[in-house]
Amino acid sequence: MRGGDEVHILSSKWELDIDDKIVKHKFCRLSYNNILHNYKIFKKIVKENKIDIVYIQHRIVGIYPKIYNFFKERVPCVYVLHTEKLENNSLISSLCTYKGKLNIAISTRVKEYLIRELKIPQEKIRLIYNGVDERNLKPLDSAERNERRAKLGIDKDKLVICLHGRIDYVKGHDLLITAIGRLSESQRNRIHVLISGEIKNNPYYDQLQKSINELQIEDKVSFIGWCSSQDILGISDLMVQPSRREGFPLSVVEAFFMKVPVIRSLTGGAEDMQKCCRFVAVNDIEQLTNEIARFINAYDTSEINEYEEMSDRAYVFAKDNCTVSTMTKRIREVF
């Protein structure tokens, strides 16, 4: 909209408030029974509003422009893939994947997947990193950090380790909790772990709590529910992101802007962030434990300079590549 474009969004649900100038249209949730119904909605919106480009954000809705363009291309489409690999490769899912005229990969790993698995020619792919709104992502001063920690009952001398994102198996919370349990007693006594995310009606959260109780680290871990990135990263000394699958993790980019050092798994985006993080192999609890212990041991020594220098590099990388304005500019160039 900032560029004067008219934007129509089709979705089965609205989790966020969106600019009133953007037109919202209601889809039914996709099932075999309503594909035809949704296609009629799609066709009507494209024709009546003279849509110039369709931006496909999820493979499952690619079926509609694919049908619409089956005999000839009536509206060009851009397909973006947000994860490093597609889990469901059934015939139906493959039919839903519409590769469009151009494709956007959000990381090098995703680009390689598009070429290798979806057989998309390299010249039809544009690499565009995810961007965040960095305006509210500024490090806090020590007084404000201590005040916010005190409200959560965290001693100002503790090292705060956070995991920020939805509470889901793919995000690897269980790996972090197991790693904390494997630290030495003296190392555990120096830290407090903060975990954000929704916990209601979440069986995975129940499993995590069971593990915490079994490891007897209840006093070392706090679940603080949904919160802003500024709130949790602003009081954290380290972010751990041990995901089992990613495309290009936004929470890591937010940590870059907050100058919080990151330990993350070798999932999507790792190749692009090579000098910005410490890395561990996916599902490697021993390596994760060692990396966390390494940070704790380095904190009060000159070795912490390595992490500070890494955070400085990460900030420059994010500032140059991962703002909303940069992402928007690059997507508009594709359009």
Side-chain angles (χ1 to χ4, degrees):
M1 292 304 298
R2 292 177 184 173
D5 304 312
E6 181 175 301
V7 179
H8 296 254
I9 297 181
L10 288 74
S11 179
S12 62
K13 60 182 179 179
W14 300 97
E15 295 179 341
L16 299 172
D17 291 330
I18 300 178
D19 192 318
D20 291 338
K21 295 179 182 178
I22 294 176
V23 184
K24 297 182 287 188
H25 302 276
K26 185 70 174 176
F27 254 8
C28 297
R29 291 187 68 84
L30 183 64
S31 72
Y32 294 119
N33 296 326
N34 60 32
I35 289 178
L36 181 59
H37 175 74
N38 278 347
Y39 174 70
K40 289 178 179 178
I41 295 173
F42 172 85
K43 181 178 179 180
K44 183 171 186 274
I45 290 167
V46 169
K47 293 184 72 173
E48 289 185 356
N49 296 283
K50 299 179 180 178
I51 301 296
D52 295 302
I53 298 169
V54 174
Y55 191 30
I56 304 170
Q57 289 277 341
H58 196 289
R59 73 182 299 188
I60 206 166
V61 298
I63 189 67
Y64 306 120
K66 190 169 188 175
I67 296 171
Y68 189 71
N69 287 339
F70 188 77
F71 292 106
K72 68 174 183 176
E73 184 182 72
R74 293 190 279 181
V75 58
C77 299
V78 175
Y79 172 56
V80 57
L81 182 58
H82 289 285
T83 185
E84 63 183 297
K85 60 181 178 179
L86 295 167
E87 290 297 291
N88 185 350
N89 287 314
S90 66
L91 177 60
I92 296 296
S93 295
S94 298
L95 290 173
C96 287
T97 303
Y98 186 43
K99 302 166 188 178
K101 199 173 188 72
L102 289 174
N103 301 266
I104 293 175
I106 61 171
S107 69
T108 297
R109 184 85 58 94
V110 174
K111 180 179 178 180
E112 291 170 350
Y113 180 85
L114 290 173
I115 296 169
R116 183 182 66 253
E117 300 296 333
L118 297 188
K119 311 303 180 187
I120 297 174
Q122 185 167 328
E123 62 270 18
K124 294 185 69 175
I125 302 171
R126 304 293 182 268
L127 176 62
I128 302 176
Y129 299 139
N130 281 337
V132 302
D133 186 348
E134 79 284 7
R135 290 172 295 180
N136 293 322
L137 295 172
K138 302 184 188 304
L140 305 179
D141 60 41
S142 57
E144 191 169 3
R145 279 166 60 91
N146 291 338
E147 181 182 348
R148 294 193 182 192
R149 286 186 179 193
K151 289 180 180 179
L152 293 172
I154 302 173
D155 190 287
K156 65 179 181 180
D157 295 324
K158 294 284 188 181
L159 296 180
V160 175
I161 299 171
C162 76
L163 200 170
H164 182 44
R166 74 181 188 276
I167 299 178
D168 188 287
Y169 176 77
V170 76
K171 295 296 185 180
H173 295 72
D174 54 304
L175 304 173
L176 173 59
I177 287 169
T178 302
I180 298 301
R182 292 188 180 185
L183 294 172
S184 69
E185 184 177 358
S186 62
Q187 290 167 340
R188 284 199 304 271
N189 287 337
R190 295 194 62 192
I191 67 171
H192 194 92
V193 178
L194 289 182
I195 298 176
S196 66
E198 184 59 56
I199 62 176
K200 292 180 180 179
N201 303 317
N202 189 334
Y204 182 56
Y205 165 73
D206 297 334
Q207 295 173 23
L208 298 176
Q209 282 288 15
K210 182 179 179 182
S211 297
I212 290 168
N213 294 336
E214 290 173 350
L215 293 168
Q216 298 181 345
I217 55 173
E218 299 93 332
D219 60 331
K220 309 297 181 191
V221 183
S222 297
F223 289 85
I224 59 175
W226 184 92
C227 69
S228 71
S229 301
Q230 171 85 6
D231 286 342
I232 189 168
L233 291 169
I235 59 174
S236 297
D237 299 293
L238 174 71
M239 191 178 91
V240 177
Q241 199 252 14
S243 297
R244 293 178 165 95
R245 187 177 74 252
E246 288 286 352
F248 188 85
L250 287 174
S251 59
V252 171
V253 174
E254 291 168 334
F256 290 171
F257 278 111
M258 296 291 289
K259 294 199 172 181
V260 176
V262 175
I263 297 171
R264 57 154 298 184
S265 56
L266 285 164
T267 49
E271 294 86 353
D272 310 276
M273 302 175 178
Q274 282 184 32
K275 298 180 180 179
C276 303
C277 310
R278 297 284 300 178
F279 294 98
V280 297
V282 177
N283 286 322
D284 194 326
I285 295 173
E286 182 179 359
Q287 194 176 11
L288 180 60
T289 305
N290 291 340
E291 280 294 340
I292 295 172
R294 183 179 188 271
F295 176 82
I296 295 170
N297 294 337
Y299 195 77
D300 290 325
T301 73
S302 60
E303 292 177 9
I304 198 63
N305 293 337
E306 175 190 344
Y307 292 90
E308 293 172 350
E309 291 168 3
M310 181 179 74
S311 295
D312 289 340
R313 291 194 299 270
Y315 176 81
V316 172
F317 169 79
K319 192 169 181 290
D320 289 346
N321 298 283
C322 304
T323 64
V324 166
S325 58
T326 298
M327 177 185 70
T328 303
K329 178 178 180 292
R330 292 173 179 173
I331 291 175
R332 283 183 59 82
E333 287 170 356
V334 172
F335 288 168

